[in-house]
Amino acid sequence: TIEFTGALHATVVKQVRLKNPSSKTLMYNAVLVGRDADDFSLPKGNTVTIAPKRQTSINVEFTSRFLRPAEAVLLMISKSVGGIDGATLTFSLKSEVKHMEPADILKCKSPCYEL
C-alpha cells in the first residue's frame, strides 16, 4: 500500500522503485484503476522499461479534491520483450487529507438585525 497524505487540493508525489534482477530487459504498461483513479496520475507516462540488473523509479501523483479518502490500484502489466515476461505487479493507492488551507479570507461588516 502506498499512502498519500497532505492538504486538501495539494498534489502529493510518491515514487515506486522497480528492480530487474534478470539479465533481460523488462517492459511494463502502468494502468490506474478504481473508484478514484482519476485523482491519481503518472506524469512520465504509462510505459516503464527496466534495463537488465538495474532499477528505476516511477512517480505517482495524487491531487485531493474531496475530504474523504481516495482509493485506486496501480497495475504494472508486463509486456513481452524478446519472449521474456515479468510478473504483474499490483500496488494499492490510498489517500488521507490531514488539513485544509483557506483559499481566501474575506472580512465583512453587517448589522446583526434591523428594527
Side-chain angles (χ1 to χ4, degrees), residues 20-39:
N20 179 4
S22 74
S23 59
K24 303 282 185 178
T25 299
L26 291 177
M27 186 176 277
Y28 284 95
N29 188 30
V31 180
L32 292 163
V33 295
R35 177 185 75 187
D36 301 307
D38 291 341
D39 295 332

Side-chain angles (χ1 to χ4, degrees), residues 24-70:
K24 303 282 185 178
T25 299
L26 291 177
M27 186 176 277
Y28 284 95
N29 188 30
V31 180
L32 292 163
V33 295
R35 177 185 75 187
D36 301 307
D38 291 341
D39 295 332
F40 295 88
S41 66
L42 302 165
K44 293 184 180 177
N46 293 14
T47 303
V48 180
T49 303
I50 311 168
K53 306 288 185 188
R54 300 280 182 188
Q55 64 183 13
T56 190
S57 295
I58 61 169
N59 289 341
V60 181
E61 287 186 357
F62 170 73
T63 303
S64 60
R65 297 184 299 149
F66 305 106
L67 288 174
R68 67 167 171 75

